Amino acid sequence: MLSREDNELLCRVGPGTPMGQVFRRFWNPVLLEEELPGPDGAPVRLRVLGENLIAFRDTSGRIGLIDEGCLHRRVSLALGRVEQGGIRCLYHGWKFDVDGKVLETPNAADTRIRDRLRTRAYKTRVEAGMVWAYMGPPENEPSFPNWRFMQLPTENLKVVRLDAAASYMQVLEGGADSSHVGILHTNFARPGWMDGDFEANSDEDNPAALATNDLAPDLLLEDTQFGFHYAAVRKIIDEGDPRKNIRIVPIAMPSTRIIPSPAMQFVVFEIPIDDENTRTFSVGFRTDGQPLVEDRYDELRGRDNRELVDPTTWTYLGNWDNGFGQKREAMTRDWSGIRGVVMEDLAMALSPGPILDRSEEHLVAADAAIVRARRQLLESARGLQAGRDPIGVGADLSGVIACDDTVAADAVWQSLAPGHHARRPS
Ligand code: FES
Ligand SMILES: [Fe+2]
């Protein structure tokens, strides 16, 4: 459980908030590259960390990410003209470049105003099919993240996004929670459950396919340079099999995790749109780096579930009006009655409302990773107020992996992720 005060500290991410400042010290993905039209194309409206912004490409293709409200009288620049090296407000013609510089002010005779004013503009970079932004103080800009997937050809990656109406923390906590995998995702994790049988799901691409039906994994945690990682250790229930199944999930501050399946890695970023909405980016790729064999990504996750996902805006539509798409009549043979792994996850994340009251929980040992994620984020928020860098800023991410492996009983779990470097308390 968490005090109401800490819960507020954890979930409020707007400008000036301590957690908002933590997020602003990292490069974060904000948009899919394919969502942004070419040079002088239509601007895209987006909201990140409680700020209303527009993204556009100028005549030479440079990307601008600037305040949506015009500096003059705050009307939306999303209606503006993108032309000749900048974006021009439709109302009185003020024009801005991608760096936020005021280029023209046709209705102001005193041209010195152009030098005095500057609109809010953030640095961007395109990498791995996503537009990334740094929204923090320029003097604190960290090195650009060096995730392993950035070394792979973009066509070997499956990069998607989905917006949902809940705090980033609610969505992230689902990802830091190993014990729900074998229960919420029973349809995939424990096929045959309704007959009391267990037969391991051999689908190597599905992160909810578990090698075992041990529902109470032991959780081992360790702080690392990038945040922390944990191993969920499950017993193999087959008699006489001395091995154990280990799933290692790294949690990179502030809100990224990697979910493994035996053959795949899914790097998932939870980016706050604002306090009560989250944009999730997921990068799926084969652990061996080879091209994706068969694209079953949308089907496994339920992203093709049109009742719950709007494919034009990639918004999750589940709510109490549509019962999160749950089909009660199907629940004799379908555990959740909800189609798709991510659809199950989001129903859980949104069901308590957009900001969960964590003061009324009753946590158990299986929740240790959730507790650690909260603790690190709160430590970062408090530390930053005291002048310390947030945990994980500028960390080397090149060797960060997730794994799902069945290994000898005496195997040391950290040896499965040799690129993760332990961080000792300072
Ligand atoms: S409001 Fe944009 S130029 Fe006047
Ligand atoms: Fe899940």
Side-chain angles (χ1 to χ4, degrees):
M1 83 163 235
L2 214 55
S3 69
R4 291 220 160 83
E5 197 182 36
D6 277 357
N7 204 34
E8 288 287 299
L9 186 56
L10 193 62
C11 297
R12 303 288 169 194
V13 291
T17 59
M19 198 58 76
Q21 287 172 341
V22 170
F23 271 88
R24 284 167 174 80
R25 292 289 297 274
F26 292 83
W27 279 92
N28 295 308
V30 295
L31 204 61
L32 295 180
E33 185 185 3
E34 67 189 35
E35 294 179 271
L36 195 58
D40 288 343
V44 176
R45 300 175 71 213
L46 70 164
R47 196 164 152 79
V48 187
L49 297 168
E51 295 184 39
N52 292 331
L53 304 170
I54 55 159
F56 66 99
R57 278 184 205 269
D58 74 4
T59 316
S60 61
R62 293 192 307 157
I63 295 176
L65 182 66
I66 67 173
D67 190 359
E68 180 182 3
C70 175
L71 265 188
H72 176 222
R73 279 179 41 217
R74 306 299 293 155
V75 306
S76 175
L77 288 174
L79 296 170
R81 302 173 59 86
V82 187
E83 57 189 14
Q84 291 160 344
I87 185 163
R88 185 188 297 282
C89 178
L90 221 46
Y91 212 179
H92 313 94
W94 288 29
K95 186 174 173 187
F96 308 91
D97 74 3
V98 295
D99 299 319
K101 203 160 166 275
V102 185
L103 301 175
E104 294 173 33
T105 51
N107 70 340
D110 183 354
T111 55
R112 282 173 304 181
I113 194 164
R114 295 178 205 163
D115 303 322
R116 267 211 323 274
L117 297 177
R118 215 178 166 93
T119 197
R120 210 148 20 93
Y122 298 119
K123 208 165 163 181
T124 62
R125 181 159 157 180
V126 172
E127 207 69 60
M130 292 172 282
V131 178
W132 300 67
Y134 175 69
M135 295 169 62
E139 64 276 18
N140 295 124
E141 184 189 321
S143 54
F144 194 79
N146 58 344
W147 291 102
R148 189 185 147 218
F149 63 77
M150 292 172 175
Q151 303 302 320
L152 299 176
T154 308
E155 58 271 22
N156 290 11
L157 309 175
K158 173 81 177 177
V159 185
V160 298
R161 76 156 175 85
L162 190 64
D163 295 357
S167 152
Y168 79 97
M169 200 56 201
Q170 259 147 271
V171 196
L172 176 63
E173 285 179 344
D177 167 15
S178 200
S179 73
H180 85 275
V181 177
I183 302 174
L184 174 65
H185 305 312
T186 279
N187 294 331
F188 295 104
R190 295 184 294 130
W193 64 276
M194 64 294 263
D195 308 317
D197 291 339
F198 174 73
E199 213 171 298
N201 181 345
S202 58
D203 185 348
E204 296 229 305
D205 293 349
N206 190 339
L210 294 180
T212 149
N213 63 348
D214 180 355
L215 295 184
D218 284 334
L219 236 50
L220 307 170
L221 294 93
E222 183 178 52
D223 288 346
T224 60
Q225 298 296 334
F226 54 79
F228 70 98
H229 59 173
Y230 71 83
V233 182
R234 291 179 170 85
K235 293 178 279 299
I236 303 286
I237 308 280
D238 270 0
E239 249 174 82
D241 191 333
R243 297 175 306 159
K244 58 189 177 185
N245 175 259
I246 295 183
R247 273 166 74 100
I248 296 181
V249 172
I251 308 278
M253 289 288 112
S255 59
T256 304
R257 64 189 181 278
I258 310 184
I259 302 294
S261 76
M264 301 275 295
Q265 308 267 301
F266 303 94
V267 186
V268 186
F269 300 84
E270 306 298 355
I271 307 302
I273 293 171
D274 52 31
D275 296 348
E276 301 189 349
N277 292 279
T278 301
R279 174 163 288 190
T280 302
F281 291 88
S282 168
V283 182
F285 59 96
R286 289 184 56 84
T287 304
D288 60 15
Q290 294 304 304
L292 301 167
V293 189
E294 194 190 351
D295 189 353
R296 293 160 55 231
Y297 192 96
D298 287 352
E299 176 205 328
L300 285 178
R301 276 155 192 74
R303 287 171 58 88
D304 61 346
N305 185 338
R306 289 293 160 260
E307 187 187 358
L308 294 178
V309 176
D310 177 343
T312 53
T313 59
W314 291 112
T315 302
Y316 171 70
L317 304 173
N319 56 36
W320 284 112
D321 291 337
N322 58 24
F324 299 99
Q326 188 181 46
K327 307 284 178 260
R328 287 238 150 231
E329 64 284 4
M331 287 170 70
T332 48
R333 62 203 149 72
D334 180 307
W335 174 267
S336 64
I338 299 170
R339 188 167 70 73
V341 175
V342 169
M343 301 302 109
E344 291 174 328
D345 285 328
L346 288 175
M348 298 301 103
L350 271 70
S351 67
I355 299 186
L356 165 65
D357 178 359
R358 293 176 173 79
S359 68
E360 303 212 359
E361 304 168 323
H362 300 86
L363 299 179
V364 295
D367 298 312
I370 289 170
V371 172
R372 186 71 60 102
R374 293 175 186 175
R375 196 196 301 156
Q376 289 202 347
L377 282 162
L378 291 170
E379 188 185 324
S380 287
R382 293 201 172 94
L384 190 54
Q385 298 307 300
R388 290 190 296 278
D389 284 342
I391 295 168
V393 157
D396 176 11
L397 301 167
S398 59
V400 182
I401 56 165
C403 76
D404 179 339
D405 239 333
T406 298
V407 295
D410 59 355
V412 177
W413 67 275
Q414 287 96 334
S415 66
L416 299 175
H420 300 183
H421 304 296
R423 177 168 52 91
R424 307 279 162 233
S426 47

